[in-house]
Amino acid sequence: MVCAEKSAVILMGVPFLFHAAKAYEQAGMMLKEMQKLPEAVQLIEKASTMYLENGTPDTAAMALERAGKLIENVDPEKAVQLYQQTANVFENEERLRQAVELLGKASRLLVRGRRFDEAALSIQKEKNIYKEIENYPTCYKKTIAQVLVHLHRNDYVAAERCVRESYSIPGFNGSEDCAALEQLLEGYDQQDQDQVSEVCNSPLFKYMDNDYAKLGLSLVVPGGGVKKSPAAPQAKPDGIASAAPEEEEDEYSGGLC
C-alpha cells in the first residue's frame, strides 16, 4: 500500500495523472483487504478527483460507486454521499440512466435510515429524471414510494399533493397505481387501518423494492386506526330539558266533517 501511494505522489509531478489516480485506487483496494474501509474510501475518493481532472469522468464515477459499495454497510451516510456524487458525475455527462440508478441507491439507503425528509427530495429527483427520459411507468412507482415516505413523515398534505401533481404524467390517471394511491389516501384520511393495510398488502406494493415494501407494511394511520364514525349528537347539559315535540294537530281542529 505504501509503495502504491508513493508511486501516485511521484506521478503527480509528471503528466501521468491517470496513472497516479490508478495507483491511489489500487492503494485504496489494498486497504480494503486490510479491512480499513474508511481509509480505503478516502484514497478512492482522491483517485476519483484525479480521474475527473484527467478528463475521464466515467472512470471517476466507477471509482466513486465502488467506494460507496465498500462503505455501505459500515457507514450508510457516507455511502449516500458517494452515490449522489456518482449520480452528479453521470448527470453532467448526460448519462441520465446511470445517474438515476445511483440516485435510487441513495434513496433506498435514506429510507432504510429513516431519513425521510432527505429521502423525499431524493425520490423527487429520481422521478424528474425518469420523466425527462420518458420512462413513465417508473414515474408511477416513484410516486408510490414518495407517498409512503410522506405518510411516514406524517405529512398527508404532501402525499396528496404528490398524487395530484402526478396527474400530469402521461398515463398516470387511470392506471392501477393511481387508483391504489387514491384508495390509500382515502383510507389514511378516514383513519381506516383495514383499508390502508389492504392496499399496502396488494401485489402492487409488496413487490416494490424491499425498503419501500417495508414502509407500506409498517404504515399505521393516525388515531389508532379507528375508522371515523358520524358525529354522535351532543348530550345536553343537566337541567336543560329537551325541546318538547310539536303538539300533534288536533284531529278535530277542522271539524267533524
Side-chain angles (χ1 to χ4, degrees), residues 91 96-105 107-108 122-143 169-170 209:
E91 196 171 359
L96 298 183
R97 283 178 174 80
Q98 288 89 339
V100 79
E101 182 182 338
L102 271 297
L103 281 174
K105 289 185 177 185
S107 298
R108 290 190 292 275
S122 184
I123 296 169
Q124 181 61 51
K125 190 166 185 180
E126 282 186 75
K127 190 172 165 183
N128 292 341
I129 294 178
Y130 278 119
K131 195 172 179 181
E132 188 174 343
I133 62 178
E134 300 183 353
N135 186 341
Y136 300 128
T138 304
C139 286
Y140 310 163
K141 306 304 177 196
K142 294 302 170 184
T143 303
I169 301 171
D209 286 321

PDB file of all heavy atoms in Angstrom, residues 91 96-105 107-108 122-143 169-170 209:
ATOM      1  N   GLU A  91     -24.762  12.658 -14.466  1.00  0.00           N
ATOM      2  CA  GLU A  91     -25.716  13.655 -14.951  1.00  0.00           C
ATOM      3  C   GLU A  91     -25.002  14.742 -15.749  1.00  0.00           C
ATOM      4  O   GLU A  91     -25.503  15.194 -16.786  1.00  0.00           O
ATOM      5  CB  GLU A  91     -26.470  14.262 -13.768  1.00  0.00           C
ATOM      6  CG  GLU A  91     -27.726  15.007 -14.173  1.00  0.00           C
ATOM      7  CD  GLU A  91     -28.569  15.423 -12.982  1.00  0.00           C
ATOM      8  OE1 GLU A  91     -28.193  15.121 -11.832  1.00  0.00           O
ATOM      9  OE2 GLU A  91     -29.612  16.058 -13.207  1.00  0.00           O
ATOM     10  N   LEU A  96     -28.142   9.926 -18.166  1.00  0.00           N
ATOM     11  CA  LEU A  96     -29.198  10.025 -17.168  1.00  0.00           C
ATOM     12  C   LEU A  96     -29.624   8.676 -16.597  1.00  0.00           C
ATOM     13  O   LEU A  96     -29.992   8.588 -15.425  1.00  0.00           O
ATOM     14  CB  LEU A  96     -30.401  10.760 -17.759  1.00  0.00           C
ATOM     15  CG  LEU A  96     -30.138  12.212 -18.197  1.00  0.00           C
ATOM     16  CD1 LEU A  96     -31.422  12.855 -18.693  1.00  0.00           C
ATOM     17  CD2 LEU A  96     -29.549  13.023 -17.046  1.00  0.00           C
ATOM     18  N   ARG A  97     -29.578   7.645 -17.404  1.00  0.00           N
ATOM     19  CA  ARG A  97     -29.990   6.329 -16.892  1.00  0.00           C
ATOM     20  C   ARG A  97     -29.042   5.846 -15.796  1.00  0.00           C
ATOM     21  O   ARG A  97     -29.474   5.290 -14.795  1.00  0.00           O
ATOM     22  CB  ARG A  97     -30.057   5.321 -18.041  1.00  0.00           C
ATOM     23  CG  ARG A  97     -31.313   5.502 -18.898  1.00  0.00           C
ATOM     24  CD  ARG A  97     -31.369   4.548 -20.078  1.00  0.00           C
ATOM     25  NE  ARG A  97     -32.647   4.662 -20.774  1.00  0.00           N
ATOM     26  CZ  ARG A  97     -32.943   5.616 -21.636  1.00  0.00           C
ATOM     27  NH1 ARG A  97     -32.043   6.548 -21.914  1.00  0.00           N
ATOM     28  NH2 ARG A  97     -34.135   5.657 -22.226  1.00  0.00           N
ATOM     29  N   GLN A  98     -27.756   6.064 -16.007  1.00  0.00           N
ATOM     30  CA  GLN A  98     -26.788   5.680 -14.969  1.00  0.00           C
ATOM     31  C   GLN A  98     -26.948   6.575 -13.732  1.00  0.00           C
ATOM     32  O   GLN A  98     -26.851   6.109 -12.598  1.00  0.00           O
ATOM     33  CB  GLN A  98     -25.358   5.785 -15.500  1.00  0.00           C
ATOM     34  CG  GLN A  98     -24.986   4.715 -16.501  1.00  0.00           C
ATOM     35  CD  GLN A  98     -25.302   5.113 -17.935  1.00  0.00           C
ATOM     36  OE1 GLN A  98     -26.128   6.000 -18.188  1.00  0.00           O
ATOM     37  NE2 GLN A  98     -24.660   4.466 -18.891  1.00  0.00           N
ATOM     38  N   ALA A  99     -27.215   7.875 -13.983  1.00  0.00           N
ATOM     39  CA  ALA A  99     -27.377   8.817 -12.869  1.00  0.00           C
ATOM     40  C   ALA A  99     -28.555   8.427 -11.987  1.00  0.00           C
ATOM     41  O   ALA A  99     -28.447   8.395 -10.760  1.00  0.00           O
ATOM     42  CB  ALA A  99     -27.566  10.235 -13.403  1.00  0.00           C
ATOM     43  N   VAL A 100     -29.681   8.089 -12.608  1.00  0.00           N
ATOM     44  CA  VAL A 100     -30.888   7.801 -11.830  1.00  0.00           C
ATOM     45  C   VAL A 100     -30.758   6.468 -11.081  1.00  0.00           C
ATOM     46  O   VAL A 100     -31.335   6.289 -10.004  1.00  0.00           O
ATOM     47  CB  VAL A 100     -32.135   7.830 -12.742  1.00  0.00           C
ATOM     48  CG1 VAL A 100     -32.300   6.557 -13.568  1.00  0.00           C
ATOM     49  CG2 VAL A 100     -33.388   8.112 -11.928  1.00  0.00           C
ATOM     50  N   GLU A 101     -29.974   5.556 -11.638  1.00  0.00           N
ATOM     51  CA  GLU A 101     -29.743   4.290 -10.939  1.00  0.00           C
ATOM     52  C   GLU A 101     -29.003   4.527  -9.621  1.00  0.00           C
ATOM     53  O   GLU A 101     -29.331   3.934  -8.591  1.00  0.00           O
ATOM     54  CB  GLU A 101     -28.928   3.348 -11.837  1.00  0.00           C
ATOM     55  CG  GLU A 101     -28.686   1.985 -11.223  1.00  0.00           C
ATOM     56  CD  GLU A 101     -27.838   1.087 -12.110  1.00  0.00           C
ATOM     57  OE1 GLU A 101     -27.773   1.334 -13.335  1.00  0.00           O
ATOM     58  OE2 GLU A 101     -27.223   0.147 -11.576  1.00  0.00           O
ATOM     59  N   LEU A 102     -28.023   5.428  -9.653  1.00  0.00           N
ATOM     60  CA  LEU A 102     -27.266   5.734  -8.428  1.00  0.00           C
ATOM     61  C   LEU A 102     -28.114   6.534  -7.446  1.00  0.00           C
ATOM     62  O   LEU A 102     -28.022   6.332  -6.232  1.00  0.00           O
ATOM     63  CB  LEU A 102     -25.996   6.505  -8.780  1.00  0.00           C
ATOM     64  CG  LEU A 102     -24.738   5.670  -9.080  1.00  0.00           C
ATOM     65  CD1 LEU A 102     -24.314   4.867  -7.856  1.00  0.00           C
ATOM     66  CD2 LEU A 102     -24.926   4.734 -10.259  1.00  0.00           C
ATOM     67  N   LEU A 103     -28.952   7.426  -7.957  1.00  0.00           N
ATOM     68  CA  LEU A 103     -29.866   8.152  -7.066  1.00  0.00           C
ATOM     69  C   LEU A 103     -30.813   7.186  -6.366  1.00  0.00           C
ATOM     70  O   LEU A 103     -31.154   7.374  -5.190  1.00  0.00           O
ATOM     71  CB  LEU A 103     -30.675   9.178  -7.869  1.00  0.00           C
ATOM     72  CG  LEU A 103     -29.977  10.479  -8.233  1.00  0.00           C
ATOM     73  CD1 LEU A 103     -30.871  11.306  -9.148  1.00  0.00           C
ATOM     74  CD2 LEU A 103     -29.621  11.275  -6.982  1.00  0.00           C
ATOM     75  N   GLY A 104     -31.228   6.144  -7.083  1.00  0.00           N
ATOM     76  CA  GLY A 104     -32.104   5.139  -6.492  1.00  0.00           C
ATOM     77  C   GLY A 104     -31.440   4.441  -5.313  1.00  0.00           C
ATOM     78  O   GLY A 104     -32.077   4.190  -4.284  1.00  0.00           O
ATOM     79  N   LYS A 105     -30.147   4.145  -5.454  1.00  0.00           N
ATOM     80  CA  LYS A 105     -29.409   3.520  -4.347  1.00  0.00           C
ATOM     81  C   LYS A 105     -29.362   4.459  -3.144  1.00  0.00           C
ATOM     82  O   LYS A 105     -29.543   4.035  -1.995  1.00  0.00           O
ATOM     83  CB  LYS A 105     -27.984   3.174  -4.788  1.00  0.00           C
ATOM     84  CG  LYS A 105     -27.904   2.017  -5.779  1.00  0.00           C
ATOM     85  CD  LYS A 105     -26.446   1.666  -6.068  1.00  0.00           C
ATOM     86  CE  LYS A 105     -26.355   0.472  -7.005  1.00  0.00           C
ATOM     87  NZ  LYS A 105     -24.952   0.038  -7.213  1.00  0.00           N
ATOM     88  N   SER A 107     -31.510   6.874  -2.433  1.00  0.00           N
ATOM     89  CA  SER A 107     -32.861   6.998  -1.865  1.00  0.00           C
ATOM     90  C   SER A 107     -33.186   5.833  -0.947  1.00  0.00           C
ATOM     91  O   SER A 107     -33.731   6.010   0.149  1.00  0.00           O
ATOM     92  CB  SER A 107     -33.906   7.067  -2.986  1.00  0.00           C
ATOM     93  OG  SER A 107     -33.708   8.202  -3.800  1.00  0.00           O
ATOM     94  N   ARG A 108     -32.853   4.625  -1.387  1.00  0.00           N
ATOM     95  CA  ARG A 108     -33.172   3.443  -0.582  1.00  0.00           C
ATOM     96  C   ARG A 108     -32.397   3.436   0.732  1.00  0.00           C
ATOM     97  O   ARG A 108     -32.927   3.042   1.778  1.00  0.00           O
ATOM     98  CB  ARG A 108     -32.914   2.166  -1.390  1.00  0.00           C
ATOM     99  CG  ARG A 108     -33.912   1.967  -2.527  1.00  0.00           C
ATOM    100  CD  ARG A 108     -33.803   0.597  -3.147  1.00  0.00           C
ATOM    101  NE  ARG A 108     -32.559   0.392  -3.869  1.00  0.00           N
ATOM    102  CZ  ARG A 108     -32.342   0.747  -5.135  1.00  0.00           C
ATOM    103  NH1 ARG A 108     -33.309   1.354  -5.824  1.00  0.00           N
ATOM    104  NH2 ARG A 108     -31.191   0.505  -5.722  1.00  0.00           N
ATOM    105  N   SER A 122     -34.786  13.110  -2.598  1.00  0.00           N
ATOM    106  CA  SER A 122     -34.033  12.233  -3.487  1.00  0.00           C
ATOM    107  C   SER A 122     -34.959  11.514  -4.465  1.00  0.00           C
ATOM    108  O   SER A 122     -34.666  11.421  -5.667  1.00  0.00           O
ATOM    109  CB  SER A 122     -33.230  11.219  -2.662  1.00  0.00           C
ATOM    110  OG  SER A 122     -32.430  10.411  -3.487  1.00  0.00           O
ATOM    111  N   ILE A 123     -36.086  11.022  -3.968  1.00  0.00           N
ATOM    112  CA  ILE A 123     -37.040  10.323  -4.843  1.00  0.00           C
ATOM    113  C   ILE A 123     -37.628  11.283  -5.866  1.00  0.00           C
ATOM    114  O   ILE A 123     -37.851  10.921  -7.025  1.00  0.00           O
ATOM    115  CB  ILE A 123     -38.151   9.655  -4.006  1.00  0.00           C
ATOM    116  CG1 ILE A 123     -37.551   8.568  -3.104  1.00  0.00           C
ATOM    117  CG2 ILE A 123     -39.208   9.039  -4.912  1.00  0.00           C
ATOM    118  CD1 ILE A 123     -38.515   8.034  -2.060  1.00  0.00           C
ATOM    119  N   GLN A 124     -37.866  12.529  -5.456  1.00  0.00           N
ATOM    120  CA  GLN A 124     -38.390  13.524  -6.396  1.00  0.00           C
ATOM    121  C   GLN A 124     -37.400  13.764  -7.530  1.00  0.00           C
ATOM    122  O   GLN A 124     -37.790  13.895  -8.701  1.00  0.00           O
ATOM    123  CB  GLN A 124     -38.679  14.837  -5.671  1.00  0.00           C
ATOM    124  CG  GLN A 124     -39.260  15.924  -6.566  1.00  0.00           C
ATOM    125  CD  GLN A 124     -40.596  15.538  -7.185  1.00  0.00           C
ATOM    126  OE1 GLN A 124     -41.509  15.114  -6.481  1.00  0.00           O
ATOM    127  NE2 GLN A 124     -40.709  15.656  -8.507  1.00  0.00           N
ATOM    128  N   LYS A 125     -36.117  13.788  -7.198  1.00  0.00           N
ATOM    129  CA  LYS A 125     -35.093  13.966  -8.245  1.00  0.00           C
ATOM    130  C   LYS A 125     -35.084  12.773  -9.185  1.00  0.00           C
ATOM    131  O   LYS A 125     -34.972  12.928 -10.408  1.00  0.00           O
ATOM    132  CB  LYS A 125     -33.721  14.164  -7.601  1.00  0.00           C
ATOM    133  CG  LYS A 125     -32.661  14.595  -8.599  1.00  0.00           C
ATOM    134  CD  LYS A 125     -31.405  15.111  -7.923  1.00  0.00           C
ATOM    135  CE  LYS A 125     -30.427  15.642  -8.980  1.00  0.00           C
ATOM    136  NZ  LYS A 125     -29.175  16.155  -8.386  1.00  0.00           N
ATOM    137  N   GLU A 126     -35.202  11.566  -8.622  1.00  0.00           N
ATOM    138  CA  GLU A 126     -35.304  10.368  -9.470  1.00  0.00           C
ATOM    139  C   GLU A 126     -36.483  10.509 -10.434  1.00  0.00           C
ATOM    140  O   GLU A 126     -36.369  10.246 -11.632  1.00  0.00           O
ATOM    141  CB  GLU A 126     -35.557   9.138  -8.602  1.00  0.00           C
ATOM    142  CG  GLU A 126     -34.386   8.553  -7.860  1.00  0.00           C
ATOM    143  CD  GLU A 126     -34.812   7.265  -7.180  1.00  0.00           C
ATOM    144  OE1 GLU A 126     -34.960   6.248  -7.873  1.00  0.00           O
ATOM    145  OE2 GLU A 126     -35.020   7.299  -5.944  1.00  0.00           O
ATOM    146  N   LYS A 127     -37.610  10.894  -9.860  1.00  0.00           N
ATOM    147  CA  LYS A 127     -38.849  10.985 -10.644  1.00  0.00           C
ATOM    148  C   LYS A 127     -38.703  11.991 -11.786  1.00  0.00           C
ATOM    149  O   LYS A 127     -39.162  11.751 -12.909  1.00  0.00           O
ATOM    150  CB  LYS A 127     -39.987  11.381  -9.702  1.00  0.00           C
ATOM    151  CG  LYS A 127     -41.377  11.293 -10.297  1.00  0.00           C
ATOM    152  CD  LYS A 127     -42.380  11.528  -9.174  1.00  0.00           C
ATOM    153  CE  LYS A 127     -43.750  11.809  -9.692  1.00  0.00           C
ATOM    154  NZ  LYS A 127     -44.700  12.105  -8.608  1.00  0.00           N
ATOM    155  N   ASN A 128     -38.050  13.114 -11.497  1.00  0.00           N
ATOM    156  CA  ASN A 128     -37.841  14.132 -12.533  1.00  0.00           C
ATOM    157  C   ASN A 128     -37.016  13.581 -13.698  1.00  0.00           C
ATOM    158  O   ASN A 128     -37.295  13.873 -14.869  1.00  0.00           O
ATOM    159  CB  ASN A 128     -37.139  15.355 -11.941  1.00  0.00           C
ATOM    160  CG  ASN A 128     -38.025  16.123 -10.968  1.00  0.00           C
ATOM    161  OD1 ASN A 128     -39.248  15.968 -10.978  1.00  0.00           O
ATOM    162  ND2 ASN A 128     -37.419  16.944 -10.129  1.00  0.00           N
ATOM    163  N   ILE A 129     -35.987  12.791 -13.366  1.00  0.00           N
ATOM    164  CA  ILE A 129     -35.135  12.231 -14.425  1.00  0.00           C
ATOM    165  C   ILE A 129     -35.904  11.182 -15.224  1.00  0.00           C
ATOM    166  O   ILE A 129     -35.830  11.151 -16.463  1.00  0.00           O
ATOM    167  CB  ILE A 129     -33.834  11.642 -13.838  1.00  0.00           C
ATOM    168  CG1 ILE A 129     -32.972  12.759 -13.252  1.00  0.00           C
ATOM    169  CG2 ILE A 129     -33.051  10.881 -14.905  1.00  0.00           C
ATOM    170  CD1 ILE A 129     -31.684  12.288 -12.599  1.00  0.00           C
ATOM    171  N   TYR A 130     -36.657  10.315 -14.536  1.00  0.00           N
ATOM    172  CA  TYR A 130     -37.437   9.312 -15.260  1.00  0.00           C
ATOM    173  C   TYR A 130     -38.459   9.986 -16.186  1.00  0.00           C
ATOM    174  O   TYR A 130     -38.740   9.491 -17.283  1.00  0.00           O
ATOM    175  CB  TYR A 130     -38.148   8.374 -14.281  1.00  0.00           C
ATOM    176  CG  TYR A 130     -37.254   7.273 -13.754  1.00  0.00           C
ATOM    177  CD1 TYR A 130     -36.983   7.161 -12.390  1.00  0.00           C
ATOM    178  CD2 TYR A 130     -36.667   6.344 -14.622  1.00  0.00           C
ATOM    179  CE1 TYR A 130     -36.154   6.145 -11.903  1.00  0.00           C
ATOM    180  CE2 TYR A 130     -35.842   5.334 -14.142  1.00  0.00           C
ATOM    181  CZ  TYR A 130     -35.587   5.248 -12.780  1.00  0.00           C
ATOM    182  OH  TYR A 130     -34.768   4.253 -12.316  1.00  0.00           O
ATOM    183  N   LYS A 131     -38.991  11.099 -15.730  1.00  0.00           N
ATOM    184  CA  LYS A 131     -39.935  11.846 -16.573  1.00  0.00           C
ATOM    185  C   LYS A 131     -39.215  12.427 -17.791  1.00  0.00           C
ATOM    186  O   LYS A 131     -39.740  12.409 -18.910  1.00  0.00           O
ATOM    187  CB  LYS A 131     -40.575  12.968 -15.742  1.00  0.00           C
ATOM    188  CG  LYS A 131     -41.814  13.593 -16.375  1.00  0.00           C
ATOM    189  CD  LYS A 131     -42.480  14.545 -15.397  1.00  0.00           C
ATOM    190  CE  LYS A 131     -43.710  15.197 -16.004  1.00  0.00           C
ATOM    191  NZ  LYS A 131     -44.364  16.140 -15.073  1.00  0.00           N
ATOM    192  N   GLU A 132     -37.985  12.913 -17.562  1.00  0.00           N
ATOM    193  CA  GLU A 132     -37.201  13.500 -18.659  1.00  0.00           C
ATOM    194  C   GLU A 132     -36.873  12.462 -19.723  1.00  0.00           C
ATOM    195  O   GLU A 132     -36.876  12.768 -20.914  1.00  0.00           O
ATOM    196  CB  GLU A 132     -35.920  14.114 -18.105  1.00  0.00           C
ATOM    197  CG  GLU A 132     -35.123  14.914 -19.116  1.00  0.00           C
ATOM    198  CD  GLU A 132     -33.928  15.623 -18.494  1.00  0.00           C
ATOM    199  OE1 GLU A 132     -33.876  15.763 -17.254  1.00  0.00           O
ATOM    200  OE2 GLU A 132     -33.034  16.035 -19.265  1.00  0.00           O
ATOM    201  N   ILE A 133     -36.572  11.227 -19.304  1.00  0.00           N
ATOM    202  CA  ILE A 133     -36.241  10.191 -20.285  1.00  0.00           C
ATOM    203  C   ILE A 133     -37.492   9.416 -20.724  1.00  0.00           C
ATOM    204  O   ILE A 133     -37.398   8.401 -21.410  1.00  0.00           O
ATOM    205  CB  ILE A 133     -35.164   9.218 -19.750  1.00  0.00           C
ATOM    206  CG1 ILE A 133     -35.649   8.467 -18.514  1.00  0.00           C
ATOM    207  CG2 ILE A 133     -33.881   9.952 -19.457  1.00  0.00           C
ATOM    208  CD1 ILE A 133     -34.637   7.461 -17.961  1.00  0.00           C
ATOM    209  N   GLU A 134     -38.663   9.919 -20.297  1.00  0.00           N
ATOM    210  CA  GLU A 134     -39.964   9.396 -20.708  1.00  0.00           C
ATOM    211  C   GLU A 134     -40.193   7.950 -20.280  1.00  0.00           C
ATOM    212  O   GLU A 134     -40.850   7.176 -20.976  1.00  0.00           O
ATOM    213  CB  GLU A 134     -40.162   9.560 -22.219  1.00  0.00           C
ATOM    214  CG  GLU A 134     -40.112  11.015 -22.660  1.00  0.00           C
ATOM    215  CD  GLU A 134     -40.372  11.201 -24.144  1.00  0.00           C
ATOM    216  OE1 GLU A 134     -40.468  10.182 -24.867  1.00  0.00           O
ATOM    217  OE2 GLU A 134     -40.497  12.363 -24.578  1.00  0.00           O
ATOM    218  N   ASN A 135     -39.658   7.600 -19.129  1.00  0.00           N
ATOM    219  CA  ASN A 135     -39.944   6.281 -18.538  1.00  0.00           C
ATOM    220  C   ASN A 135     -41.097   6.479 -17.553  1.00  0.00           C
ATOM    221  O   ASN A 135     -40.901   6.530 -16.337  1.00  0.00           O
ATOM    222  CB  ASN A 135     -38.692   5.736 -17.837  1.00  0.00           C
ATOM    223  CG  ASN A 135     -38.885   4.322 -17.334  1.00  0.00           C
ATOM    224  OD1 ASN A 135     -40.005   3.851 -17.174  1.00  0.00           O
ATOM    225  ND2 ASN A 135     -37.792   3.627 -17.055  1.00  0.00           N
ATOM    226  N   TYR A 136     -42.300   6.602 -18.101  1.00  0.00           N
ATOM    227  CA  TYR A 136     -43.444   6.983 -17.288  1.00  0.00           C
ATOM    228  C   TYR A 136     -43.887   5.903 -16.288  1.00  0.00           C
ATOM    229  O   TYR A 136     -44.225   6.243 -15.140  1.00  0.00           O
ATOM    230  CB  TYR A 136     -44.605   7.410 -18.185  1.00  0.00           C
ATOM    231  CG  TYR A 136     -44.263   8.578 -19.067  1.00  0.00           C
ATOM    232  CD1 TYR A 136     -44.484   8.534 -20.443  1.00  0.00           C
ATOM    233  CD2 TYR A 136     -43.682   9.740 -18.533  1.00  0.00           C
ATOM    234  CE1 TYR A 136     -44.153   9.607 -21.257  1.00  0.00           C
ATOM    235  CE2 TYR A 136     -43.355  10.814 -19.342  1.00  0.00           C
ATOM    236  CZ  TYR A 136     -43.585  10.742 -20.711  1.00  0.00           C
ATOM    237  OH  TYR A 136     -43.246  11.803 -21.512  1.00  0.00           O
ATOM    238  N   PRO A 137     -43.895   4.616 -16.669  1.00  0.00           N
ATOM    239  CA  PRO A 137     -44.298   3.609 -15.679  1.00  0.00           C
ATOM    240  C   PRO A 137     -43.441   3.641 -14.407  1.00  0.00           C
ATOM    241  O   PRO A 137     -43.964   3.435 -13.304  1.00  0.00           O
ATOM    242  CB  PRO A 137     -44.127   2.279 -16.433  1.00  0.00           C
ATOM    243  CG  PRO A 137     -44.321   2.654 -17.871  1.00  0.00           C
ATOM    244  CD  PRO A 137     -43.696   4.003 -18.002  1.00  0.00           C
ATOM    245  N   THR A 138     -42.140   3.919 -14.543  1.00  0.00           N
ATOM    246  CA  THR A 138     -41.296   4.006 -13.351  1.00  0.00           C
ATOM    247  C   THR A 138     -41.638   5.260 -12.549  1.00  0.00           C
ATOM    248  O   THR A 138     -41.534   5.260 -11.316  1.00  0.00           O
ATOM    249  CB  THR A 138     -39.804   3.996 -13.732  1.00  0.00           C
ATOM    250  OG1 THR A 138     -39.542   2.826 -14.512  1.00  0.00           O
ATOM    251  CG2 THR A 138     -38.914   3.968 -12.496  1.00  0.00           C
ATOM    252  N   CYS A 139     -42.092   6.313 -13.220  1.00  0.00           N
ATOM    253  CA  CYS A 139     -42.562   7.508 -12.502  1.00  0.00           C
ATOM    254  C   CYS A 139     -43.723   7.148 -11.579  1.00  0.00           C
ATOM    255  O   CYS A 139     -43.826   7.664 -10.460  1.00  0.00           O
ATOM    256  CB  CYS A 139     -43.025   8.586 -13.485  1.00  0.00           C
ATOM    257  SG  CYS A 139     -41.697   9.435 -14.342  1.00  0.00           S
ATOM    258  N   TYR A 140     -44.614   6.253 -12.057  1.00  0.00           N
ATOM    259  CA  TYR A 140     -45.750   5.849 -11.221  1.00  0.00           C
ATOM    260  C   TYR A 140     -45.242   5.175  -9.944  1.00  0.00           C
ATOM    261  O   TYR A 140     -45.739   5.441  -8.839  1.00  0.00           O
ATOM    262  CB  TYR A 140     -46.666   4.865 -11.954  1.00  0.00           C
ATOM    263  CG  TYR A 140     -47.119   5.246 -13.336  1.00  0.00           C
ATOM    264  CD1 TYR A 140     -47.645   4.282 -14.200  1.00  0.00           C
ATOM    265  CD2 TYR A 140     -47.036   6.553 -13.810  1.00  0.00           C
ATOM    266  CE1 TYR A 140     -48.077   4.598 -15.474  1.00  0.00           C
ATOM    267  CE2 TYR A 140     -47.461   6.877 -15.091  1.00  0.00           C
ATOM    268  CZ  TYR A 140     -47.977   5.900 -15.926  1.00  0.00           C
ATOM    269  OH  TYR A 140     -48.384   6.211 -17.191  1.00  0.00           O
ATOM    270  N   LYS A 141     -44.245   4.285 -10.113  1.00  0.00           N
ATOM    271  CA  LYS A 141     -43.701   3.566  -8.943  1.00  0.00           C
ATOM    272  C   LYS A 141     -43.021   4.537  -7.978  1.00  0.00           C
ATOM    273  O   LYS A 141     -43.109   4.371  -6.753  1.00  0.00           O
ATOM    274  CB  LYS A 141     -42.702   2.499  -9.389  1.00  0.00           C
ATOM    275  CG  LYS A 141     -43.224   1.520 -10.414  1.00  0.00           C
ATOM    276  CD  LYS A 141     -44.481   0.818  -9.960  1.00  0.00           C
ATOM    277  CE  LYS A 141     -45.022  -0.112 -11.043  1.00  0.00           C
ATOM    278  NZ  LYS A 141     -46.431  -0.507 -10.796  1.00  0.00           N
ATOM    279  N   LYS A 142     -42.347   5.530  -8.529  1.00  0.00           N
ATOM    280  CA  LYS A 142     -41.687   6.512  -7.672  1.00  0.00           C
ATOM    281  C   LYS A 142     -42.721   7.358  -6.929  1.00  0.00           C
ATOM    282  O   LYS A 142     -42.477   7.824  -5.812  1.00  0.00           O
ATOM    283  CB  LYS A 142     -40.750   7.406  -8.489  1.00  0.00           C
ATOM    284  CG  LYS A 142     -39.566   6.655  -9.087  1.00  0.00           C
ATOM    285  CD  LYS A 142     -38.737   5.981  -8.016  1.00  0.00           C
ATOM    286  CE  LYS A 142     -37.702   5.036  -8.581  1.00  0.00           C
ATOM    287  NZ  LYS A 142     -36.962   4.306  -7.523  1.00  0.00           N
ATOM    288  N   THR A 143     -43.879   7.561  -7.547  1.00  0.00           N
ATOM    289  CA  THR A 143     -44.956   8.289  -6.865  1.00  0.00           C
ATOM    290  C   THR A 143     -45.453   7.490  -5.663  1.00  0.00           C
ATOM    291  O   THR A 143     -45.698   8.059  -4.591  1.00  0.00           O
ATOM    292  CB  THR A 143     -46.114   8.572  -7.839  1.00  0.00           C
ATOM    293  OG1 THR A 143     -45.621   9.302  -8.966  1.00  0.00           O
ATOM    294  CG2 THR A 143     -47.209   9.389  -7.163  1.00  0.00           C
ATOM    295  N   ILE A 169     -48.468  13.360 -15.515  1.00  0.00           N
ATOM    296  CA  ILE A 169     -47.616  12.357 -16.155  1.00  0.00           C
ATOM    297  C   ILE A 169     -48.477  11.511 -17.083  1.00  0.00           C
ATOM    298  O   ILE A 169     -49.508  10.973 -16.649  1.00  0.00           O
ATOM    299  CB  ILE A 169     -46.931  11.456 -15.101  1.00  0.00           C
ATOM    300  CG1 ILE A 169     -46.073  12.302 -14.159  1.00  0.00           C
ATOM    301  CG2 ILE A 169     -46.083  10.385 -15.763  1.00  0.00           C
ATOM    302  CD1 ILE A 169     -45.525  11.535 -12.968  1.00  0.00           C
ATOM    303  N   PRO A 170     -48.099  11.393 -18.344  1.00  0.00           N
ATOM    304  CA  PRO A 170     -48.932  10.625 -19.288  1.00  0.00           C
ATOM    305  C   PRO A 170     -49.250   9.221 -18.790  1.00  0.00           C
ATOM    306  O   PRO A 170     -48.351   8.478 -18.394  1.00  0.00           O
ATOM    307  CB  PRO A 170     -48.059  10.574 -20.551  1.00  0.00           C
ATOM    308  CG  PRO A 170     -47.192  11.798 -20.465  1.00  0.00           C
ATOM    309  CD  PRO A 170     -46.913  11.974 -19.003  1.00  0.00           C
ATOM    310  N   ASP A 209     -39.369  -2.355  -4.443  1.00  0.00           N
ATOM    311  CA  ASP A 209     -38.084  -2.548  -3.771  1.00  0.00           C
ATOM    312  C   ASP A 209     -38.349  -2.795  -2.295  1.00  0.00           C
ATOM    313  O   ASP A 209     -39.244  -2.172  -1.697  1.00  0.00           O
ATOM    314  CB  ASP A 209     -37.198  -1.305  -3.938  1.00  0.00           C
ATOM    315  CG  ASP A 209     -36.625  -1.197  -5.340  1.00  0.00           C
ATOM    316  OD1 ASP A 209     -36.253  -2.241  -5.899  1.00  0.00           O
ATOM    317  OD2 ASP A 209     -36.562  -0.077  -5.867  1.00  0.00           O
TER     318      ASP A 209
END
